[in-house]
Amino acid sequence: MSSKMRKLRKSQLIDYDNAAAGHAGVLSDKSGALIVKPCKQAEINFYQSVESHPELKYYMPLYMGFLQLNQEATDAAAADLSASVPPPTGILEQRPNSAGAIPVTETWEPSNGAAIAADSGIVLENVAHGFKKPNILDVKLGARLWADDSPAAKRDKLDKVSGETTSKPLGFRIAGMKTYVGQIAEPIHHDINGYRKYDKYFGRSLKVDNVHTGFKDFFFVEGAEVPAKFARRVVKRFLEDLQGLQEVLENEETRMYSASLLFVYEGDGEQLAKNFVVEAEMLDARAKSGDRPESAESVEADNDTALDAEDEEEDEADLASSLPKIQALKMIDFAHAQFTKGQGPDENVLHGIRSITAILERIIR
């Protein structure tokens, strides 16, 4: 996170309406660069603990801090986004009670997508910010969707949803998506401002034998003038992202129940084509500028070499942030996530990632 201090007050926030799925109540700053998601303390704790897991952190939205949502919009209530990030808290564990069991909440009512009743909001980068016409897909991961402390009623409901959808057999289901289709001649009822929206019931209607069509609808969009060759290039880039994420999760010990994968890519065909060209030019210029003989002074001492490596990492980060927006893949929704030392990788989540990878490979054959 930048060392520059930035304050954010509740009065500066507006409703965020660019989500493809999830709970209501998400807010945004007026620039659209940040979102504030109402959440419980457990999610804040997880984001803080990820600070000591940089490989996983790379595949999550940038965490800026948190905001107290129940305070008045005064100077005293301002969220100091640089100071709100405490040092990493290490491994999160659910604590057994005196009987040795993890406590379970007995009362529960389904939210049905309503806003989360929470005093705090987590402040994150808006992954879709900077795209001209972002296409957004939210995929819920896991065959098991409930955490150990979930009450029986919640377990039963989520098991039923899992068993009736692709969640159980494939380890994922499409939770929602929106695609830019432009001003097509005969818009259908769910075309809004040039976007076609697919809600959670669309995803629940898909089965193992046809769920690939949902991904085809997301990547090969009628009306947006995205050539098939560009759509395939985007899919291939997501496949690389998925492979990287899979390798990270195979080397972490976590349990992330009801976490999601967020896919975002440029949905305006003309802008997408331009971004591919500009990216290639920037990377080519970078390669040429770096093709210089190494000076003797640069390797004179180990500490100089270490400094050079740090500078190179910073340069790479600066380059990545300056490249035009083409696609982004992030894990989101960590209300029921924790590090679980000694329990091995999260095969519940990995099952879904492997299934998605196989489907994306299929649709570009």
Side-chain angles (χ1 to χ4, degrees), residues 7-12 67 71-80:
K7 290 184 179 292
L8 184 68
R9 297 179 178 85
K10 187 177 177 182
S11 61
Q12 298 173 309
L67 181 69
Q71 294 178 341
E72 294 299 321
T74 64
D75 288 343
D80 182 341

Side-chain angles (χ1 to χ4, degrees), residues 38-342:
C39 68
K40 303 293 187 180
Q41 185 62 40
E43 188 158 9
I44 295 174
N45 291 346
F46 186 75
Y47 268 99
Q48 292 172 353
S49 69
V50 169
E51 293 294 316
S52 59
H53 297 259
E55 293 85 3
L56 179 56
K57 179 182 174 183
Y58 175 82
Y59 290 99
M60 295 168 57
L62 181 62
Y63 169 65
M64 307 286 191
F66 59 92
L67 181 69
Q68 295 301 117
L69 298 176
N70 62 343
Q71 294 178 341
E72 294 299 321
T74 64
D75 288 343
D80 182 341
L81 298 185
S82 60
S84 292
V85 186
T89 56
I91 294 174
L92 298 178
E93 297 177 346
Q94 286 188 292
R95 302 293 184 185
N97 59 23
S98 59
I102 293 175
V104 174
T105 304
E106 294 299 338
T107 58
W108 172 79
E109 292 182 4
S111 66
N112 296 318
I116 296 172
D119 293 333
S120 299
I122 195 164
V123 185
L124 304 169
E125 69 165 319
N126 176 9
V127 180
H129 183 68
F131 291 87
K132 182 177 180 180
K133 296 293 183 183
N135 285 353
I136 304 173
L137 168 64
D138 185 317
V139 180
K140 185 69 67 179
L141 293 172
R144 173 180 159 178
L145 301 168
W146 45 268
D148 290 339
D149 61 350
S150 298
K154 183 174 184 178
R155 297 184 187 200
D156 291 344
K157 181 180 187 298
L158 294 179
D159 281 345
K160 185 174 186 293
V161 172
S162 179
E164 293 175 347
T165 66
T166 57
S167 290
K168 186 173 183 178
L170 297 179
F172 79 87
R173 75 170 182 274
I174 292 176
M177 65 185 191
K178 54 185 296 186
T179 58
Y180 181 67
V181 296
Q183 304 302 320
I184 57 179
E186 297 180 2
I188 55 180
H189 69 280
H190 47 266
D191 284 353
I192 303 172
N193 297 324
Y195 275 91
R196 181 172 294 161
K197 300 190 72 172
Y198 302 78
D199 63 17
K200 64 181 180 182
Y201 298 107
F202 168 78
R204 292 185 185 187
S205 72
L206 298 171
K207 305 302 178 185
V208 172
D209 61 351
N210 69 349
V211 68
H212 68 283
T213 64
F215 288 92
K216 290 182 72 173
D217 287 341
F218 180 65
F219 288 109
F220 298 91
V221 183
E222 173 192 1
E225 298 181 355
V226 177
K229 66 176 182 179
F230 286 155
R232 290 190 181 90
R233 287 178 66 181
V234 169
V235 174
K236 288 178 180 178
R237 290 166 72 114
F238 275 120
L239 282 168
E240 292 176 1
D241 293 337
L242 286 166
Q243 181 61 41
L245 175 58
Q246 178 180 324
E247 291 175 0
V248 168
L249 291 176
E250 287 173 343
N251 289 283
E252 292 281 3
E253 294 182 301
T254 61
R255 295 296 181 268
M256 305 179 190
Y257 299 110
S258 282
S260 292
L261 275 181
L262 187 69
F263 295 76
V264 184
Y265 76 93
E266 180 55 65
D268 181 276
E270 183 177 345
Q271 186 66 47
L272 180 62
K274 178 181 177 181
N275 289 356
F276 273 123
V277 171
V278 173
E279 181 191 67
E281 291 173 347
M282 292 179 68
L283 293 176
D284 184 58
R286 166 76 177 205
K288 290 178 179 177
S289 67
D291 189 20
R292 297 190 300 269
E294 192 175 34
S295 65
E297 291 79 9
S298 68
V299 292
E300 199 167 36
D302 288 342
N303 60 338
D304 290 335
T305 303
L307 289 173
D308 289 343
E310 291 177 7
D311 289 342
E312 184 175 343
E313 288 181 3
E314 290 182 2
D315 290 345
E316 291 294 335
D318 290 342
L319 175 64
S321 64
S322 65
L323 290 173
K325 297 282 190 175
I326 293 177
Q327 100 289 345
L329 177 76
K330 299 292 181 181
M331 286 196 75
I332 59 172
D333 297 340
F334 301 106
H336 307 287
Q338 59 183 336
F339 288 96
T340 52
K341 186 176 181 179

